Amino acid sequence: DSIRIYVNTKVIDEFGRKKTTRLKTVIVDVKGELLIDSPGNKSGLKSLHKFPKFNSLKESYAYYDKKAVQGGVYNRDNFSFQLEPFELDSLDNFKNQGLNFEGTFESAGIFPVFNETLSIQPDYSLGFVRPTPPEGFDVYNGKGKFYNEIKLSNEGLKGDGYLEYLTSTTESKDLNFHPDSMFGIGENYVIEEQMDNVQYPPVSGNDVFVKWLPIKDYMKVYTKEKPLSFYDGESKFYGSIKYNPKELRGAGKYEFQEATLYSRDYLFKFMEFDSDTADFILESLEDNLLTFNTTNVNAHVDFKERKALFISNAGSTIINLPENQYIAKIDRFTWFMDSKEIELSGGEVSEEASKKDLSLEGSKFTSVHPDQDSLSFYSSAATFDYNNKIIKARNVKLFLVGDSYFYPDS
């Protein structure tokens, strides 16, 4: 059998009385007795305020498996509140604050089993608000630890506090705990750096969406409007990261102070990161105009050495230098962050000029200036000084102009 309980609300009717509403939580598997009056007061001569009353004679249960509660994720087989035998007195005139049920809470392994007291929650369901012990509660069979406040109601099992997983800490006022996952907005999110066999960089952010899947043993973090901060604290990352005991990966836009990298797959380590396929953009330091850009490169960024190596995935790649009105065909380049220079490298190439095959080595530079008729040249050692917007080309063997070519005099 089950018990449905009506309680007073804060709403006053036209007669000045509090309106009632039915509790959203039903107590089930109830066995007990309803006493209308005391056995010694059969004639009803005495006014006994405790009557009528109900005594339950064995354990009963409250479940939270309705669709209205977080979509019905809390299966009653392993998520329930077991009520100890209880007494409800003054049934014709009881007060909300007197409606309390002691018992034991089981949460499908989210938290350890613990004793608690159900009471009426603001949404007119039965639940509780309780602190964790100072040392926190293990969550999901020890995969993490949660500290501060746990809440149960028809809004679901929630937490207000901070969660620790691996070297990360998620601080939130509203975490949702499901049997297979935890999610919510992290007001503050931090990954502490780690230098062991498994490496993590320092990461921090605010107002991010966090989803943790403890059974699969990984956590995903999505930026909203604010970026995540990586490494030096000056880099910004927009997108998502996937964090587990083996690695930290990501997908999205990585902003340096002067450049931007786009990739669907980054592998982040303690002081470096890699991407198999990325697009690189460098902007002018003065007016934010596009200075240097290329696509489809393999990227290795090293913050300890303060440089980054990019290798074309297609054998060679086209670099656009719009402010200089040149394009360059290269197979790799190295970005030196502090000296504000990019070293351009090319392999051996062949070009037909004046009906002769010329075997040339280095990066090919071609002018896109409308008055220079596709002037081009090869340089085996070229550097782009993007601070001063200068291409420094060395070991230039010849220049190509249309169908002609000529050699420099020195």
Side-chain angles (χ1 to χ4, degrees):
D1 290 330
S2 61
I3 295 179
R4 298 179 184 272
I5 302 172
Y6 284 80
V7 296
N8 291 326
T9 68
K10 296 180 180 180
V11 180
I12 306 300
D13 64 17
E14 63 270 24
F15 302 106
R17 297 174 299 192
K18 291 183 177 180
K19 290 186 176 182
T20 61
T21 188
R22 191 175 75 180
L23 278 183
K24 297 176 182 178
T25 307
V26 179
I27 302 173
V28 301
D29 297 336
V30 180
K31 182 179 181 180
E33 57 183 7
L34 177 63
L35 302 177
I36 304 301
D37 207 341
S38 171
N41 191 34
K42 293 182 179 180
S43 59
L45 297 176
K46 297 179 181 178
S47 177
L48 302 176
H49 296 293
K50 287 190 175 183
F51 293 91
K53 69 178 182 177
F54 176 81
N55 293 325
S56 78
L57 303 177
K58 69 177 189 68
E59 290 80 10
S60 52
Y61 294 87
Y63 297 117
Y64 298 83
D65 56 351
K66 293 181 179 179
K67 286 289 184 182
V69 184
Q70 294 281 328
V73 298
Y74 304 117
N75 193 306
R76 64 174 58 195
D77 292 340
N78 54 19
F79 191 103
S80 65
F81 192 98
Q82 184 186 71
L83 287 71
E84 297 175 0
F86 59 87
E87 176 184 287
L88 291 176
D89 61 24
S90 307
L91 293 178
D92 59 348
N93 191 32
F94 74 87
K95 298 184 182 299
N96 289 4
Q97 52 267 39
L99 199 63
N100 298 292
F101 304 95
E102 296 181 354
T104 304
F105 179 57
E106 179 186 10
S107 58
I110 300 172
F111 293 102
V113 176
F114 55 77
N115 296 327
E116 193 45 67
T117 301
L118 288 182
S119 60
I120 301 174
Q121 299 305 300
D123 66 345
Y124 295 105
S125 67
L126 290 176
F128 57 78
V129 178
R130 64 154 295 161
T132 65
E135 65 275 15
F137 266 145
D138 284 340
V139 289
Y140 299 103
N141 299 311
K143 288 289 182 70
K145 185 161 280 195
F146 179 74
Y147 301 83
N148 203 26
E149 190 174 79
I150 303 170
K151 305 175 184 179
L152 176 68
S153 70
N154 260 32
E155 293 183 358
L157 183 60
K158 292 177 172 283
D160 177 352
Y162 58 99
L163 175 99
E164 294 177 348
Y165 169 64
L166 300 176
T167 68
S168 75
T169 301
T170 304
E171 184 178 351
S172 175
K173 295 179 181 178
D174 188 21
L175 290 176
N176 297 274
F177 290 96
H178 287 187
D180 64 347
S181 62
M182 180 231 73
F183 60 92
I185 300 298
E187 283 89 21
N188 295 293
Y189 182 79
V190 173
I191 296 177
E192 297 291 342
E193 61 191 44
Q194 180 171 291
M195 297 178 59
D196 298 337
N197 292 332
V198 177
Q199 297 184 16
Y200 305 121
V203 181
S204 61
N206 308 111
D207 192 32
V208 294
F209 180 78
V210 180
K211 185 168 186 178
W212 179 33
L213 286 84
I215 297 174
K216 296 182 178 180
D217 207 5
Y218 70 82
M219 176 178 283
K220 292 206 74 173
V221 180
Y222 302 84
T223 62
K224 297 173 66 183
E225 296 181 358
K226 298 179 181 179
L228 288 170
S229 175
F230 274 74
Y231 297 106
D232 53 11
E234 297 177 350
S235 301
K236 299 176 182 179
F237 179 80
Y238 296 87
S240 64
I241 59 173
K242 185 177 180 180
Y243 175 55
N244 63 41
K246 296 181 180 180
E247 61 189 11
L248 174 63
R249 304 193 83 95
K253 179 173 71 170
Y254 193 99
E255 290 187 353
F256 304 87
Q257 283 186 287
E258 303 159 354
T260 303
L261 202 62
Y262 295 89
S263 176
R264 293 182 179 179
D265 186 21
Y266 300 94
L267 174 60
F268 295 105
K269 296 185 178 181
F270 172 61
M271 285 296 289
E272 60 189 14
F273 71 81
D274 295 276
S275 173
D276 288 338
T277 307
D279 299 337
F280 178 77
I281 295 174
L282 183 71
E283 293 183 345
S284 171
L285 299 176
E286 298 176 356
D287 47 23
N288 293 322
L289 293 176
L290 186 63
T291 298
F292 182 107
N293 76 295
T294 190
T295 61
N296 192 23
V297 292
N298 182 298
H300 174 75
V301 179
D302 190 325
F303 284 93
K304 183 178 180 180
E305 297 294 330
R306 299 290 296 163
K307 67 180 183 179
L309 172 64
F310 301 88
I311 302 174
S312 171
N313 286 318
S316 63
T317 188
I318 298 297
I319 301 295
N320 294 295
L321 304 163
E323 288 190 295
N324 298 77
Q325 293 188 291
Y326 266 88
I327 60 173
K329 186 177 182 180
I330 64 172
D331 59 22
R332 66 181 60 205
F333 63 93
T334 304
W335 173 35
F336 297 93
M337 302 179 192
D338 295 333
S339 63
K340 305 187 186 307
E341 290 183 331
I342 296 176
E343 185 179 272
L344 307 170
S345 303
E348 186 173 317
V349 297
S350 294
E351 172 130 358
E352 184 176 319
S354 296
K355 299 181 181 180
K356 294 182 179 180
D357 286 334
L358 301 174
S359 182
L360 302 172
E361 183 178 338
S363 304
K364 180 185 178 182
F365 291 83
T366 302
S367 173
V368 293
H369 192 289
D371 298 330
Q372 292 185 352
D373 191 25
S374 299
L375 168 70
S376 61
F377 62 87
Y378 287 88
S379 171
S380 60
T383 301
F384 177 52
D385 176 356
Y386 61 86
N387 188 38
N388 296 302
K389 305 173 186 176
I390 297 174
I391 300 172
K392 301 175 183 178
R394 298 177 295 279
N395 299 327
V396 178
K397 295 180 180 180
L398 56 79
F399 291 90
L400 302 170
V401 182
D403 293 332
S404 304
Y405 63 94
F406 59 92
Y407 296 95
D409 57 2
S410 61

